[in-house]
Amino acid sequence: MALRPTSHDHHPPDEERKTMKVKMLAARGYQLFHTWMSREEITLSADRPNAVIMLVPDYGNIGDLAIGYAQEHFTSRLDPGYDVQSIRISQTYKVLRSLKRQLGPDDIVLLVGGGSMGDLYPRAQLGREFVARYLRPHRLVSFPQSIIYMDRPEQEQSAQREARALSASADRLTLFARESESYDIMRAFYPGKVGFAPDVVLSLTGDYQDREPLDRAGALLALRRDVERALSDADHDVIRDAVARFGDVTDRDHGISDDEVDQTAFDRLPLDTMEHYRRSELVVTDRLHGMIFAAVTGTPCVVLPNANHKITGTYRDWIAERCAYITLLRNVDHHSMREAIDKVTRPEAVASYRSVRFDFSTLQQSIQGGADS
């Protein structure tokens, strides 16, 4: 398996292996216990095929909440007219028994997209493995994902374990990668079908292109404060100095507290955030979905890399040749920032938004069960 380079060239010590094994056993025990004990029911349609989306985000990350919204929006428009339900990650094990009992041959189970394959966010990865195994032999498709492994001694062992877990469902599970590095890794370890498609939030682009433009004013900074941050405080100072000419500058990171998530309307935050993008003259971000929201809404954007490959890969594979109003800046300095801002705010760059298209045909065919899926 092709993994990202690591500074560790030795196998994990016995103690680390034992700790990892105990954690995995505890997680599996939790999954089995809550699935077995739960009596919560899910009601599937008897009149048309069902599409059930599992592990959907319900926590404080606006980009992930946008994925949840876009997945349902995308699936609801597909033939043959699915009855679509999104099952939140916190509800997954409560409804699995009921779901397995009712699924029919024309129904499909969809797994959440995003950046949660690998060991960076194990909650979703372990859930993905369990759902894929528990719901066999029903057909499953994963929305486009990035696969990311942390730079630590257990990396290789973690990758091998995840490969074994997903390979057990290879006859019925199709994985989709959202950038080429993840595609190569999936193809290396997974014997089943692997597809390639953009992040599902980019499927909203056509909807926003059809809307009347809004008046734009000010700059928006969507800069990370979590483990994936790669920018320094000095870089942030350079960025703030460069955008000061836009007057009103708003800080709006996509990572928020869980308390801010409306548990009755999960789409509120991502849709409100995209409206904020539509009203901004410029966005500077090191968030993948900062770049994606800018692409969807036609907002000039300077994007900076984060601590892994998902931004640079998505930019290279889907954004660079399509969106002249977005540019990737690898080195933060005053001159480069000014040049990048001037580049993305040129009238001809902004006007290119109307012709932007993203191709989701392979994902659509896979969900619909077409011959090429």
Side-chain angles (χ1 to χ4, degrees):
M1 178 189 301
L3 297 178
R4 293 180 63 75
T6 174
S7 58
H8 304 282
D9 58 3
H10 60 279
H11 293 291
D14 289 342
E15 193 61 37
E16 289 174 340
R17 291 181 186 275
K18 290 178 182 177
T19 300
M20 185 175 183
K21 186 174 182 179
V22 168
K23 288 180 179 179
M24 291 301 105
L25 288 172
R28 295 302 185 213
Y30 174 91
Q31 292 170 320
L32 286 167
F33 177 79
H34 284 275
T35 299
W36 178 253
M37 291 299 294
S38 176
R39 298 295 184 267
E40 192 165 319
E41 293 292 325
I42 179 175
T43 302
L44 299 187
S45 173
D47 302 321
R48 54 183 175 144
N50 294 277
V52 184
I53 310 173
M54 305 297 292
L55 303 164
V56 176
D58 55 7
Y59 48 81
N61 183 295
I62 295 173
D64 288 351
L65 293 171
I67 287 174
Y69 169 75
Q71 289 173 159
E72 190 165 318
H73 188 67
F74 180 84
T75 309
S76 67
R77 296 189 293 182
L78 298 179
D79 292 330
Y82 289 100
D83 187 87
V84 183
Q85 293 192 59
S86 293
I87 307 302
R88 301 292 155 180
I89 191 169
S90 59
Q91 298 295 309
T92 296
Y93 306 115
K94 297 179 181 180
V95 302
L96 270 177
R97 289 184 71 190
S98 174
L99 179 61
K100 185 174 184 178
R101 194 166 57 243
Q102 297 180 68
L103 284 170
D106 296 328
D107 299 331
I108 185 167
V109 176
L110 303 170
L111 302 178
V112 68
S116 60
M117 287 191 71
D119 62 0
L120 183 59
Y121 299 108
R123 181 189 181 196
Q125 174 60 21
L126 292 171
R128 180 178 297 106
E129 295 167 12
F130 186 82
V131 170
R133 184 170 61 250
Y134 188 84
L135 293 181
R136 288 189 67 198
H138 298 288
R139 191 164 64 91
L140 299 97
V141 175
S142 172
F143 277 101
Q145 274 280 348
S146 291
I147 184 166
I148 303 164
Y149 291 99
M150 297 286 281
D151 182 13
R152 58 189 184 189
E154 306 98 314
Q155 182 192 68
E156 189 72 28
Q157 184 185 11
S158 176
Q160 291 170 355
R161 183 199 60 74
E162 288 150 16
R164 288 193 300 269
L166 288 177
S167 295
S169 303
D171 57 332
R172 299 298 285 167
L173 169 63
T174 301
L175 299 178
F176 271 82
R178 65 181 180 180
E179 29 75 23
S180 53
E181 184 166 343
S182 293
Y183 179 76
D184 291 342
I185 295 173
M186 290 181 196
R187 287 288 301 273
F189 84 72
Y190 183 64
K193 295 176 183 176
V194 177
F196 189 52
D199 184 284
V200 70
V201 177
L202 289 168
S203 69
L204 302 174
T205 302
D207 293 351
Y208 279 85
Q209 287 171 328
D210 290 340
R211 301 183 185 187
E212 286 295 320
L214 299 177
D215 292 334
R216 295 181 180 270
L220 173 63
L221 302 183
L223 301 174
R224 324 188 63 105
R225 297 189 294 266
D226 60 12
V227 295
E228 297 187 58
R229 171 178 166 171
L231 298 176
S232 67
D233 289 342
D235 293 332
H236 281 215
D237 290 340
V238 171
I239 293 167
R240 292 178 191 285
D241 182 64
V243 302
R245 75 191 214 209
F246 290 88
D248 185 26
V249 177
T250 302
D251 282 276
R252 190 184 182 94
D253 186 28
H254 292 181
I256 58 175
S257 71
D258 291 349
D259 293 340
E260 295 181 65
V261 179
D262 185 343
Q263 298 295 316
T264 64
F266 291 99
D267 58 354
R268 183 183 61 80
L269 272 169
L271 294 180
D272 286 353
T273 300
M274 280 192 274
E275 287 304 299
H276 200 138
Y277 275 66
R278 292 182 70 212
R279 296 179 183 277
S280 299
E281 291 180 81
L282 174 75
V283 172
V284 180
T285 185
D286 58 352
R287 285 274 182 184
L288 173 65
H289 283 96
M291 177 174 71
I292 288 173
F293 289 178
V296 168
T297 60
T299 306
C301 176
V302 178
V303 60
L304 298 313
N306 68 337
N308 53 58
H309 61 270
K310 64 185 183 183
I311 285 180
T312 54
T314 300
Y315 178 80
R316 178 189 62 237
D317 294 330
W318 305 110
I319 302 296
E321 299 300 320
R322 290 177 175 84
C323 305
Y325 52 94
I326 300 176
T327 193
L328 177 68
L329 184 62
R330 296 181 183 274
N331 299 309
V332 179
D333 60 69
H334 291 279
H335 177 71
S336 298
M337 278 296 304
R338 284 194 297 271
E339 281 196 334
I341 291 170
D342 290 343
K343 177 182 178 181
V344 299
T345 54
R346 288 178 297 122
E348 58 269 33
V350 175
S352 71
Y353 168 60
R354 293 295 167 185
S355 63
V356 171
R357 301 290 184 273
F358 296 99
D359 184 6
F360 286 88
S361 58
T362 56
L363 178 62
Q364 178 177 331
Q365 291 167 7
S366 186
I367 293 173
Q368 293 171 318
D372 295 329
S373 65

